Amino acid sequence: PLRDQQSINERDNYWFDYFLENPPSARGKWYIEQYFWAKEWSNHGTCSDNVFNQQNYFNLAKNLMFNYDLTSILFNPINHIPLPWPTVSDVMLAISKHTRARPELRCHYYKSSKILVEVALCYDVHGNQVINCTRPGSVYC
């Protein structure tokens, strides 16, 4: 979905694939490892392709990503999240209180335990309003 090295570099700075040993911009081989971006577009962007083209979709996603500072929400002392081992419900409650919508929490197994690897906020098709996320699949917490 991203056609030039500058676009890849910009996106690697704020939204990258944690499971790649080296992000595409590190090697300058953006045309080889587009799987992550293609998957993001296929899973999330195509539902709004009649509203946004790919470039506009990713630009909007970048802007929406910074609407809520999830780190500040989670580490705010008023949320009383027991660190370093918060429960899924603790994280869900803190984010839901602040955004007024249910986030999607994604986990992976690590040494026979699930660890939180991603928090997603869901928006309406136009990107105007945070909405409740659904919980399909087994990678979710």
Side-chain angles (χ1 to χ4, degrees):
L2 300 175
R3 305 277 184 240
D4 62 89
Q5 188 63 47
Q6 182 179 349
S7 292
I8 293 291
N9 291 349
E10 289 170 3
R11 286 183 179 52
D12 277 352
N13 287 335
Y14 67 86
W15 185 15
F16 51 90
D17 188 347
Y18 288 99
F19 299 103
L20 284 180
E21 190 171 315
N22 296 302
S25 64
R27 294 191 304 257
K29 296 182 180 179
W30 59 271
Y31 50 87
I32 293 175
E33 295 187 23
Q34 286 292 295
Y35 174 75
F36 176 71
W37 293 111
K39 187 178 80 166
E40 292 300 308
W41 172 253
S42 176
N43 290 346
H44 309 294
T46 54
C47 70
S48 62
D49 65 355
N50 60 339
V51 180
F52 305 106
N53 65 30
Q54 287 180 345
Q55 191 66 41
N56 290 341
Y57 167 79
F58 285 115
N59 289 339
L60 177 63
K62 175 184 176 183
N63 292 337
L64 294 176
M65 187 172 139
F66 296 111
N67 278 352
Y68 294 97
D69 182 355
L70 295 178
T71 303
S72 294
I73 293 169
L74 294 174
F75 292 100
N76 188 327
I78 66 169
N79 288 325
H80 305 292
I81 294 179
L83 298 175
W85 305 110
T87 66
V88 169
S89 59
D90 291 329
V91 173
M92 185 77 73
L93 181 63
I95 295 170
S96 295
K97 270 183 12 186
H98 193 79
T99 64
R100 295 189 175 102
R102 183 181 60 245
E104 186 174 278
L105 304 180
R106 298 176 186 154
C107 294
H108 284 275
Y109 280 98
Y110 178 75
K111 296 184 179 181
S112 73
S113 296
K114 278 188 175 181
I115 59 168
L116 180 65
V117 294
E118 185 176 4
V119 174
L121 297 177
C122 299
Y123 287 82
D124 65 13
V125 172
H126 297 283
N128 296 326
Q129 183 176 347
V130 179
I131 60 173
N132 287 330
C133 297
T134 58
R135 286 184 40 135
S138 60
V139 296
Y140 302 91
C141 302

